Amino acid sequence: MNSNDHKQTVLAEILALAPVVPVVIIDDVAHAVPMARALVAGGIRSIEVTLRTPAALDAIRAIASEVEGAVVGVGTVLDGTQLEAARAAGARFAVSPGVSPKLLDAADASALPLLPGVATAGEAMTLLERGYRHLKLFPAAPAGGAKLLAAWASPLPQIRFCPTGGISLASAPDFLALPNVACVGGSWLTPKDKLQAGDWAGIEQLAREAAALRAPR
């Protein structure tokens, strides 16, 4: 088993933890630990913290060291420097909105499993050639949604997807019913108003609703 085979196996295990991976934007690092504890209490263990704010790396570090049961990952990774910084902070997986040759080279050299974003069949085929069997469809809803993934299931049976972008609690089941969908990514579990208000009980309830969505295994 080569390095990427092993990383793909690890990624598959992470994506199988729950039907939804929350996509989180953290403005205040003080929110990171109670938010993650609320998600885990609600049945959501894998958490993607996006590199969209200055607090992101510190939030990853705090969750990784303080929240039992959480598997924290990093999102919005654009280059190898960010990939390495996230790995050093304790991230267990990485997610990118798309791919570039330099990012893929950095991912090959990193111990961190990467879930790269694609929006076309050609991009998916290119990544399949490089050993990627788990991909993120992004932005899922604008790119074609569940109908697009259903169309890809037959010609690209080796690939399983985590569609992200424009998905809600109401639309998630349409994706999760597909045989080539491992889970979905969604920002609705950690809305900005609940984070700012410290409404951890509310976030736990949103997590419970998401965890009740069962993806095919």
Side-chain angles (χ1 to χ4, degrees):
M1 179 179 289
N2 67 35
S3 177
N4 203 39
D5 280 340
H6 175 68
K7 287 186 282 189
Q8 289 296 298
T9 298
V10 171
L11 195 56
E13 293 169 353
I14 291 170
L15 297 180
L17 289 173
V20 182
V21 176
V23 180
V24 183
I25 299 173
I26 291 279
D27 291 304
D28 185 346
V29 69
H31 294 159
V33 168
M35 173 214 67
R37 285 177 175 155
L39 290 171
V40 171
I44 299 295
R45 292 182 54 203
S46 54
I47 304 166
E48 176 190 337
V49 177
T50 64
L51 292 179
R52 301 182 193 180
T53 69
L57 286 174
D58 285 337
I60 290 169
R61 191 173 291 107
I63 294 169
S65 62
E66 298 182 42
V67 184
E68 184 177 355
V71 178
V72 64
V74 59
T76 323
V77 173
L78 305 179
D79 57 45
T81 300
Q82 292 179 332
L83 195 68
E84 178 55 27
R87 187 203 61 77
R92 304 264 295 277
F93 65 99
V95 186
S96 63
V99 291
S100 70
K102 286 185 178 180
L103 177 59
L104 290 177
D105 288 345
D108 285 346
S110 173
L112 207 57
L114 175 67
L115 180 70
V118 300
T120 68
E123 291 170 336
M125 290 169 60
T126 297
L127 286 163
L128 186 60
E129 288 178 355
R130 292 192 65 144
Y132 286 87
R133 303 187 308 273
H134 299 87
L135 305 176
K136 168 176 127 172
L137 176 68
F138 181 80
K147 289 183 178 180
L148 179 65
L149 286 176
W152 284 355
S154 180
L156 298 171
Q158 310 94 323
I159 303 175
R160 298 198 79 198
F161 293 90
C162 175
T164 304
I167 298 176
S168 65
L169 181 68
S171 65
D174 294 336
F175 290 90
L176 294 170
L178 299 174
N180 58 342
V181 170
C183 59
V184 303
S187 58
W188 80 85
L189 284 75
T190 55
K192 188 173 184 177
D193 59 339
K194 291 191 184 299
L195 285 172
Q196 290 180 336
D199 184 4
W200 314 126
I203 288 176
E204 181 179 340
Q205 178 57 35
L206 292 173
R208 288 188 186 283
E209 293 171 354
L213 300 169
R214 289 295 172 229
R217 289 288 176 253

